[in-house]
Amino acid sequence: MRVQLGDDIKSPSNTSGLDRPGQININCWQSDDYRADLHEFMRRYGYVGAADINRRCSEKTKTNRIVVLTSVIERLKGRIRGFRRLSQFTPRYVPEILAMWNEGGNRLGQSTEISTQIQNFSVLNWFWKMHGIKVNPIRTYVNDPALAPQYKRESIARVDKSWSGNGVDADRIIAEARFLDPVVARLLELARTFGLRANETLRLRPGLDDKHDHLHIHRGTKTGRQREMKYATFDADLMRQVIESVKAELGPGGLHAAWADRTLVQSRRRLYYILERLDITKKGLGVTIHGLRAQWAIEQFEKLTGATTPVRGGHAMDYRQFSDARLEISRALGHNRINVTSAYYGSFFAMKLPAELRFRDSWRELQAHLPFIQDALHAHHISNLWWVGARANGANVGKQDGWEFLIDEETSFEQAVIAKESLEKTLDACGVGVVCVHVADRAPHSAKQRWANHALPLFDVAAPVLKIEPATSA
């Protein structure tokens, strides 16, 4: 959707500058009532996109801009003597704004989290960008060098935000939700099957939006952008089964997938209330409902390409080989730019070097303990041990990630169980940290599938080498 730069978007009558976004003269806002000028500014320019001025942003984004700008300016007025006009609101006050955010004073009396500060700063950056004022990245204003790296916005996923990637059983959560409120269970099933945003599930009308061979999604989308979820491209049988089940559950007179007797605001509150009771929060189980959308993107990428995503330990391959699959996923999620999907499953290029460095660090740390490991193996007549898990493929986040090893099927179950206890005691005595030795017969099937591509033998090669997955075409 394009923004019309005509009668609806023009500068106030007292401005001497041009009226196009990026060329507004900030000195035109001279009213002592900054709220009046801010209201006028937002009326004319509030929907202008941040990255592309010709693209319209959503109503939610506009509302958030108003809230952030009003809050920041109001607090500055209380701290800066003589500050009263919108024209005075320039980047010179960024250090003061950061000090406000970090010293507390929000509605809970706490400092603002860094992630929230970054999001709020992007709103300020957009405001100044509309006036042609260039602003340095937020981290350049941070005085503490140790803290500055945290003030960096990541557009590429570094960790797996999906439910399955965080050990959250979606089937169990949906079953528990069905007991508390069947509507929430229905919404979660739709989000998981179609990769929908929370707002999209709340506003979906299955009877009308199901077009037999695709799902037409247009209500609740960002900026109102419509898209089609083609069943045949992904999992036609599952998608048809879920949508038909929801339609049957709603009955002939059913319209919305959400509550029939609640407004959108009430439905959203109810949804998040039940999710909180189920511990589906970042502070609880470490995931949100949006994690089902990330899970959908990850699973579809792996299904269409046969490759493991970077956030799940996949390594260097040419993304261009998978451009068709990535484009299909991007469009199904409602994005026009193919690179946006990296926010869900990461980037091979961005994660290749860090993965290799982490792998080498782990191997150097492990080398000193190899003689003790080998002695423990020989004591139980076992010739080799497989190195598996996050450290074996360089996907570990840091020192807190434990070491994982596998005794394969060639060793009898009884012998492997005894060796497992002995090896864990040996490694614990070495002080390498948290250690888990898996016995193949007891390991989950899903884990063994992952290890099939990454398991590294410790003793039948000179040194383990970080495995690069074959670049199979989609």
Side-chain angles (χ1 to χ4, degrees), residues 3 31 80 84 103 111 175 207 259 309 326 340 349 356 376 437 462:
V3 176
S31 171
I80 308 296
R84 62 182 184 276
E103 70 187 22
S111 61
W259 296 267
T309 54
R326 293 174 65 211
V340 174
F349 297 123
E356 290 179 342
V437 179

Side-chain angles (χ1 to χ4, degrees), residues 130-144:
M130 293 296 98
H131 293 88
I133 301 172
K134 291 186 177 180
V135 189
N136 293 326
I138 186 173
R139 63 181 180 275
T140 62
Y141 296 95
V142 179
N143 294 326
D144 186 350

Side-chain angles (χ1 to χ4, degrees), residues 247-260:
K247 285 159 65 176
E249 194 175 327
L250 291 173
L255 191 59
H256 287 288
W259 296 267

Side-chain angles (χ1 to χ4, degrees), residues 104 111 119 315:
S111 61
Q119 293 173 3
H315 290 299

